[in-house]
Amino acid sequence: QLVAYEVKRMRAEEGNKQKILRHIKELAEKLYKNENPYPAVTMHKVQKPTEGCHLRLHQKPFPHLDEGTVQWIIDQATAKLQTAPPAVKAEKKCMVPSGPPIAAIMERNGNALVNSARRLEVVRNCISYVFENKMLEAKKLFPAVLRAMKGRAARHCLTQELNLHVQQNRAVLDHQQFDFIVRMMNCCLQDCTAMDEHGIAAALLPLVTAFCRKLSPGITQFAYSCVQEHV
């Protein structure tokens, strides 16, 4: 049914987290009702006697119960249960149209994966150009890198790549390199959400205290001084 009816709706919802979450909640409720078709049986509560009720004068004595009658009622109920058909939800059969061909959906997802891989490649290449001092090449890719930072995968890729360069003792940059790296970090942090706080932002913390440039003999500026305004 999802494939047949909901594809247009899902496409319309892409990029809107509120609508997607509402849709998921609706699906979850449907699935839960499917697995739990019978509501829980409510237990009958027996009321407790009030305080001081035993002092009342008009209280009638509780009648003696006939053991044979009670046993007969229990036997009748047990026999009914044994012969009763099992309580099974009757299945409603219905025809569901085939919906769009699966190939179309697969192809669309495949394109998304290719685009994602291409974006990550652009981020890696641009960072390599910056550290190799190929500034003209880096400048050409830079707008595409800033656009890619909208995606979490690209932000994660940036932290990984920068971390590799720190490990190679390439943290001291010249002015142009420093400017490029700081702009990337700022863009990355600007697009971070609360969900990224303990992931992307936390991964950037050690990096912003590592990358630096020499302003003059004995004076070093670290990257954190340029990115510390972000929430």
Side-chain angles (χ1 to χ4, degrees):
Q1 280 178 331
L2 270 179
V3 172
Y5 300 130
E6 305 287 336
V7 171
K8 280 183 186 172
R9 179 180 170 184
M10 284 193 277
R11 279 182 188 166
E13 285 173 359
E14 273 177 7
N16 189 326
K17 281 186 182 176
Q18 246 59 42
K19 283 184 180 176
I20 291 169
L21 284 172
R22 197 183 319 133
H23 194 180
I24 291 169
K25 201 173 178 185
E26 285 170 17
L27 281 177
E29 281 172 10
K30 281 182 192 171
L31 290 168
Y32 181 80
K33 280 176 185 168
N34 188 56
E35 295 295 319
N36 303 277
Y38 305 108
V41 179
T42 51
M43 300 297 288
H44 295 290
K45 290 183 180 176
V46 180
Q47 289 184 331
K48 286 184 178 179
T50 54
E51 284 181 24
C53 66
H54 60 284
L55 301 171
R56 291 185 192 149
L57 298 172
H58 61 274
Q59 190 122 7
K60 290 179 183 177
F62 193 81
H64 288 287
L65 298 177
D66 177 38
E67 195 179 333
T69 309
V70 171
Q71 191 58 51
W72 179 79
I73 292 168
I74 291 170
D75 292 341
Q76 289 280 98
T78 309
K80 266 187 192 171
L81 281 175
Q82 284 171 350
T83 55
V88 178
K89 188 182 178 184
E91 281 188 23
K92 288 180 183 174
K93 290 186 171 68
C94 62
M95 286 295 291
V96 176
S98 59
I102 297 293
I105 297 169
M106 293 298 287
E107 194 181 309
R108 190 165 146 270
N109 289 347
N111 287 344
L113 287 172
V114 169
N115 288 342
S116 178
R118 203 176 290 140
R119 282 196 204 106
L120 299 189
E121 196 58 36
V122 167
V123 173
R124 289 192 190 100
N125 288 344
C126 186
I127 293 170
S128 296
Y129 291 146
V130 169
F131 283 95
E132 289 163 14
N133 258 324
K134 295 178 181 174
M135 290 307 168
L136 198 62
E137 301 296 327
K139 204 170 275 186
K140 283 178 192 171
L141 293 182
F142 203 65
V145 170
L146 298 187
R147 280 197 302 275
M149 286 300 140
K150 298 278 179 200
R152 184 174 291 142
R155 297 199 290 270
H156 187 62
C157 177
L158 175 76
T159 60
Q160 285 180 319
E161 289 297 307
L162 292 180
N163 194 40
L164 288 174
H165 288 288
V166 167
Q167 287 169 3
Q168 293 165 12
N169 294 325
R170 298 168 78 180
V172 181
L173 310 170
D174 66 26
H175 295 302
Q176 214 173 357
Q177 288 174 320
F178 187 82
D179 182 49
F180 268 97
I181 297 302
V182 162
R183 282 169 71 189
M184 281 187 206
M185 286 176 167
N186 267 321
C187 189
C188 178
L189 286 167
Q190 180 183 312
D191 289 314
C192 278
T193 62
M195 291 165 76
D196 296 319
E197 189 177 334
H198 304 292
I200 311 291
L204 275 176
L205 270 178
L207 299 174
V208 296
T209 56
F211 286 107
C212 61
R213 64 173 167 180
K214 301 282 182 191
L215 293 178
S216 63
I219 296 175
T220 305
Q221 182 188 14
F222 285 89
Y224 69 80
S225 62
C226 304
V227 301
Q228 59 193 8
E229 298 304 315
H230 294 277
V231 179

